Amino acid sequence: MVKITVGKDPAMRGDLKDSFVAQVADDSMIEYNLCEGDILLVKADSAAVDGDIAVVSVEGAYCLRKIKYTADGRVLLLAGDSVARSRALPLKDLDVYGVVKGVFRAL
């Protein structure tokens, strides 16, 4: 699960001008080194390439998943822990809101 904070910083330019921040709300991506409370810089983009970690919509909820495309035209949404559910969807059902480009973590 991910909490989305939509707001554009006027200081964001170039490649980051269409970005937003999201906060990781649980440890469902812990195996990809994304932890509860991390702040993510997400580039708004409806296309994700194989291996990207993206903010996607699954059953009306925003979540983070690693994207893996299959040869049969489906996409695997891979969770990063043993509890959260990974799933396969037809490519036409994939709703990508953005691709993670950076992580900020309090020490």
Side-chain angles (χ1 to χ4, degrees), residues 48-91:
V49 299
D50 203 51
D52 277 347
I53 293 177
V55 176
V56 298
S57 177
V58 176
E59 296 176 354
Y62 293 111
C63 62
L64 290 172
R65 291 293 182 262
K66 188 169 187 173
I67 304 294
K68 174 89 173 133
Y69 295 101
T70 66
D72 65 355
R74 297 176 65 79
V75 61
L76 299 176
L77 302 178
L78 303 172
D81 74 354
S82 59
V83 177
R85 197 171 105 198
S86 296
R87 61 175 35 189
L89 298 173
L91 190 55

Side-chain angles (χ1 to χ4, degrees), residues 15-26:
D15 226 20
L16 299 179
K17 69 179 179 174
D18 294 323
S19 298
F20 60 93
V21 295
Q23 184 175 22
V24 180
D26 60 26

Side-chain angles (χ1 to χ4, degrees), residues 27-42:
D27 283 331
S28 65
M29 295 296 282
I30 194 77
E31 292 174 12
Y32 301 117
N33 207 21
L34 296 174
C35 306
E36 183 175 358
D38 286 353
I39 303 296
L40 308 175
L41 177 62
V42 181

